[in-house]
């Protein structure tokens, strides 16, 4: 039993080392078509780090070609897969702005907003990304009113607004709990003015 287990470990290590060796060769290669193809393979296998690294290497080579938007799209997907929402959002935004007629443009505009959504923190923290996400989803709806993503956008906007409502109420309540009643009164008035339909009304 122990011998079989040992053999499995040795085989696993051998396969891992062999695949690392292949990847290192591809990294050092000057065959950019191979790098691109392997990057897509890695992306499909959810090996996002290797995919992004190879796409970073080929992106300048494909700039100005008919494949430029495709490379940028896959690059954004690879960073999204790594949960690097800042870089992913940046590349989705670049694609949507640089290639407005690309078949990936609409999805990229949505994904840019979704990257902001993913960075939106819990209500007790700064809500800069919450506002950015709401603005980006709203802009998407204006530019793509018939999109299949319309219902998703409206759902995310509602969710993000609820976060802002809670943040606004909690700030006012904190003043009240600290017995700073004048500040609490102003904060509550502002909260009601900004969110008249608040569940805390």
């Amino acid at each position: 039993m122990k011998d079989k287990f040992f053999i499995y470990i040795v085989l696993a290590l051998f396969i891992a080392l062999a695949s690392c060796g292949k990847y290192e060769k591809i990294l050092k290669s000057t065959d950019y078509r191979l790098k691109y193809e392997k990057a897509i393979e890695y992306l499909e296998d959810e090996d996002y780090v290797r995919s992004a690294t190879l796409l970073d290497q080929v992106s300048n080579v494909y700039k100005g070609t008919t494949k430029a938007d495709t490379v940028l799209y896959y690059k954004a997907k690879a960073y999204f897969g790594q949960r690097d929402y800042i870089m992913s959002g940046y590349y989705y935004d670049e694609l949507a702005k640089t290639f407005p007629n690309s078949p990936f443009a609409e999805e990229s505009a949505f994904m840019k907003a979704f990257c902001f959504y993913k960075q939106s923190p819990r209500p007790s923290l700064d809500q800069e990304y919450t506002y950015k996400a709401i603005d980006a989803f709203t802009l998407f709806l204006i530019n793509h009113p018939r999109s299949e993503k319309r219902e998703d956008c409206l759902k995310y906007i509602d969710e993000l607004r609820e976060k802002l409502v809670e943040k606004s109420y909690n700030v006012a309540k904190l003043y009240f709990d600290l017995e700073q009643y004048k500040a609490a009164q102003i904060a509550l008035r502002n909260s009601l003015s900004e969110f008249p339909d608040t569940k805390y009304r």
Side-chain angles (χ1 to χ4, degrees):
M1 188 71 177
K2 283 183 180 178
D3 289 342
K4 276 188 179 179
F5 182 70
F6 179 74
I7 289 167
Y8 287 134
I9 289 180
V10 170
L11 276 171
L13 282 170
F14 180 76
I15 290 166
L17 287 170
S19 67
C20 281
K22 274 185 194 173
Y23 175 66
E24 291 300 323
K25 277 183 184 174
I26 296 165
L27 271 181
K28 292 173 185 170
S29 170
T30 53
D31 185 344
Y32 291 102
R33 178 185 272 181
L34 174 68
K35 286 187 179 193
Y36 172 77
E37 287 168 1
K38 288 295 179 184
I40 305 309
E41 277 180 35
Y42 284 129
L43 187 64
E44 287 168 357
D45 292 339
E46 297 181 9
D47 190 342
Y48 301 116
V49 174
R50 286 181 178 180
S51 178
T53 304
L54 290 173
L55 288 165
D56 282 336
Q57 287 189 347
V58 303
S59 58
N60 282 337
V61 175
Y62 284 102
K63 230 175 209 171
T65 71
T66 53
K67 259 190 179 159
D69 62 329
T70 309
V71 172
L72 206 49
Y73 174 72
Y74 287 130
K75 198 164 154 178
K77 278 188 85 161
Y79 279 102
F80 188 86
Q82 295 176 64
R83 296 180 184 169
D84 186 344
Y85 302 121
I86 292 174
M87 289 305 294
S88 179
Y90 171 80
Y91 289 124
Y92 278 125
D93 185 42
E94 189 180 339
L95 194 158
K97 285 178 178 171
T98 312
F99 305 100
N101 299 317
S102 165
F104 305 115
E106 183 179 324
E107 186 186 345
S108 294
F110 173 81
M111 287 302 295
K112 172 200 166 183
F114 192 63
C115 285
F116 285 139
Y117 169 82
K118 295 295 266 183
Q119 293 173 81
S120 172
R122 62 182 184 272
S124 58
L125 300 175
D126 179 64
Q127 296 301 305
E128 178 190 357
Y129 283 107
T130 304
Y131 283 108
K132 283 184 174 181
I134 290 171
D135 289 347
F137 281 127
T138 304
L139 185 62
F140 177 84
L141 288 171
I142 291 166
N143 292 331
H144 307 279
R146 293 188 184 90
S147 172
E148 291 177 3
K149 300 282 189 186
R150 178 178 170 76
E151 291 305 313
D152 288 337
C153 288
L154 294 171
K155 182 185 81 174
Y156 292 134
I157 289 170
D158 284 345
E159 188 183 323
L160 293 161
R161 279 183 59 80
E162 278 303 311
K163 206 178 274 193
L164 295 178
V165 167
E166 189 177 336
K167 169 85 173 180
S168 177
Y169 172 75
N170 286 340
V171 166
K173 192 172 182 305
L174 178 64
Y175 284 128
F176 182 85
D177 292 342
L178 293 170
E179 298 182 3
Q180 295 182 22
Y181 301 119
K182 194 162 189 174
Q185 193 176 27
I186 293 165
L188 286 165
R189 193 181 297 123
N190 289 341
S191 182
L192 284 167
S193 173
E194 192 175 356
F195 307 107
D197 299 326
T198 174
K199 64 184 178 185
Y200 301 109
R201 187 172 184 85

